Amino acid sequence: MMGTPRRRRNGGARVSGHDGGPRVDTAVLGGRPGERATLLQFSTAFCAPCRATRRVLSEVAAMVPGVAHVEIDAEAHLALVRALGIESTPTTLVLDADRRVVRRAAGVPRRADVIAALGEAI
């Protein structure tokens, strides 16, 4: 969920607001950030919720022009995980066109919440 911070017991998303945050290097994104925004997903190999998150983020990226979905294996990028304060998977960071973190969510986001969060980044 990307909106008001809250915690849900059923595996839903936990959200933090504007990070005003760090800028993510284009090399980390495999040279394929979105023109307008990037949905950056941190996953692990055996994470069932990560598959659902991948599906939601891919659908939204396909619907919104200029938005890319990039998935990163958290285990293979531990330095980045630590630098960005990723504590669990799946975690999604919404990056603006300058690759600054404007929103983050842990857990499986709802499509409507992702679209709303993109409104802040675009």
Side-chain angles (χ1 to χ4, degrees):
M1 172 140 94
M2 299 187 176
T4 307
R6 69 190 222 200
R7 181 177 290 220
R8 296 169 70 184
R9 293 180 188 219
N10 64 355
R14 290 175 293 138
V15 178
S16 341
H18 293 280
D19 277 349
R23 177 180 256 169
V24 177
D25 188 356
T26 304
V28 170
L29 303 176
R32 51 185 204 276
E35 285 180 19
R36 300 170 65 199
T38 303
L39 300 170
L40 180 58
Q41 176 185 347
F42 287 86
S43 300
T44 52
F46 298 104
C47 168
C50 294
R51 290 188 287 278
T53 298
R54 179 183 312 120
R55 186 173 51 252
V56 171
L57 298 180
S58 294
E59 289 172 1
V60 171
M63 288 174 20
V64 182
V67 174
H69 170 229
V70 176
E71 188 171 2
I72 292 181
D73 179 359
E75 293 172 317
H77 295 88
L78 290 177
L80 180 63
V81 165
R82 289 183 188 111
L84 293 173
I86 306 300
E87 297 177 359
S88 63
T89 58
T91 292
T92 302
L93 303 180
V94 179
L95 310 178
D96 64 13
D98 293 326
R99 299 174 321 281
R100 291 198 189 281
V101 178
V102 296
R103 283 294 221 203
R104 67 170 53 220
V108 181
R110 295 182 313 163
R111 185 181 332 185
D113 295 325
V114 176
I115 292 168
L118 280 173
E120 296 179 30
I122 295 178

